[in-house]
Amino acid sequence: IKGHMTLEQLSQHKDAEKAMNKYPKIKIEPPQGMKGEAMKEWNRIVPLLAENTPVSELDRTLIEIYCNAFAQYHLCERKVNHDGVVTTAVSGAKKINPYLTEEHEAIKTIKMTATELGLSVNARAKLELNRAKSDKPSDPFEKVLSSE
């Protein structure tokens, strides 16, 4: 995201931002059936997202997926911490704890959905950079005119 934006690009960004605000606002209450750590995470992030990003009801399922993966990650992490990375099968053979594999899958889902929702540092930086670029006139004459 380097370089200057043309007036046309700035205009497109502003139009896109206006269009994003036309979608129905997300409802803060968690989905029915959500409980435990998933619900705690929902209650933590949805108000922040609603206040700071253009999330809408269309994003509800993606947020639900993120929250469920978050809860799954914590469950698996507790199991791995309790049982260890390597477990012993009934036959006496050593094997990788299956919760470790599930934990890695949850991490992948968290990373993907967090990026989509602007929950990562990089995603927020891109949002803020785009916001700053669309707020600043790039044309020197426009700068003079806008400062009056």
Side-chain angles (χ1 to χ4, degrees):
I1 310 177
K2 292 182 180 179
H4 297 286
M5 291 175 55
T6 65
L7 290 177
E8 184 178 336
Q9 288 170 322
L10 285 171
S11 176
Q12 288 173 347
H13 274 244
K14 287 186 191 254
D15 290 346
E17 193 172 321
K18 284 179 192 174
M20 293 292 287
N21 291 322
K22 290 180 183 177
Y23 293 100
K25 298 282 184 211
I26 190 161
K27 295 179 184 118
I28 301 296
E29 62 276 350
Q32 281 189 328
M34 184 178 274
K35 51 188 162 188
E37 288 206 48
M39 188 166 71
K40 285 181 194 172
E41 184 65 358
W42 178 280
N43 289 329
R44 185 183 77 82
I45 67 164
V46 170
L48 293 169
L49 285 169
E51 185 178 322
N52 297 299
T53 63
V55 293
S56 77
E57 270 301 303
L58 296 173
D59 303 307
R60 191 171 183 81
T61 301
L62 186 62
I63 298 168
E64 186 175 358
I65 290 167
Y66 166 83
C67 292
N68 286 328
F70 179 86
Q72 185 69 19
Y73 163 77
H74 280 278
L75 169 70
C76 293
E77 181 67 11
R78 283 192 300 275
K79 295 286 190 176
V80 170
N81 284 336
H82 180 267
D83 299 337
V85 173
V86 176
T87 59
T88 306
V90 178
S91 65
K94 301 283 185 188
K95 64 177 189 168
I96 292 177
N97 188 333
Y99 282 105
L100 191 60
T101 305
E102 291 300 317
E103 181 180 12
H104 286 194
E105 287 303 313
I107 289 168
K108 287 179 191 175
T109 302
I110 290 167
K111 283 182 174 181
M112 185 272 302
T113 53
T115 300
E116 290 290 319
L117 293 167
L119 296 175
S120 70
V121 173
N122 286 338
R124 285 192 309 275
K126 285 180 183 178
L127 282 172
E128 291 303 322
L129 184 58
N130 283 335
R131 196 173 286 152
K133 281 184 176 182
S134 65
D135 289 344
K136 264 197 269 181
S138 63
D139 182 276
F141 294 111
E142 189 176 339
K143 287 180 188 177
V144 170
L145 292 174
S146 67
S147 64
E148 293 177 359

